[in-house]
């Protein structure tokens, strides 16, 4: 039962992180951010493959196409911003281990 609660909590956290990533992208740049936000929002089709407990392990063609359409700078900037969020919110840094 505890594992189910943990998976549900992680799924909620994944959704929250996706929202935070989108919000963080908005704050980085203006004109470029509109494109970046759209690209990141399009990655929602990848959710069934990346949330903890996902039963599907291979991304769909739609997911691969969405990922391919994200500009390198957009994705890297968003990940960089997301990695700084815990410390800015006075939370411990994320440690993900080997996966």
């Amino acid at each position: 039962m505890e594992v189910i609660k943990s998976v549900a909590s992680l799924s909620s956290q994944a959704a929250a992180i996706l929202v935070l990533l989108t919000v963080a992208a908005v704050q980085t740049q203006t004109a470029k951010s509109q494109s970046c936000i759209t690209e990141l929002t399009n990655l929602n089709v990848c959710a069934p493959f990346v949330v903890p407990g996902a039963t599907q392990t291979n991304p769909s063609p739609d997911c691969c196409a969405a990922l391919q359409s994200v500009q390198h700078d957009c994705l890297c900037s968003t990940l960089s911003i997301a990695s700084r969020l815990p410390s800015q919110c006075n939370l411990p840094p994320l440690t993900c281990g080997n996966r």
Side-chain angles (χ1 to χ4, degrees), residues 18-19 22 39-49 66:
L18 186 56
V19 169
T22 303
E39 293 169 8
L40 293 174
T41 302
N42 290 341
L43 289 176
N44 284 335
V45 297
C46 297
F49 313 101

Side-chain angles (χ1 to χ4, degrees), residues 39-77:
E39 293 169 8
L40 293 174
T41 302
N42 290 341
L43 289 176
N44 284 335
V45 297
C46 297
F49 313 101
V50 297
V51 294
T55 57
Q56 299 176 348
T57 57
N58 294 321
S60 68
D62 289 340
C63 174
C64 293
L67 184 58
Q68 185 177 14
S69 72
V70 178
Q71 294 180 13
H72 184 263
D73 289 344
C74 174
L75 193 55
C76 289
S77 294

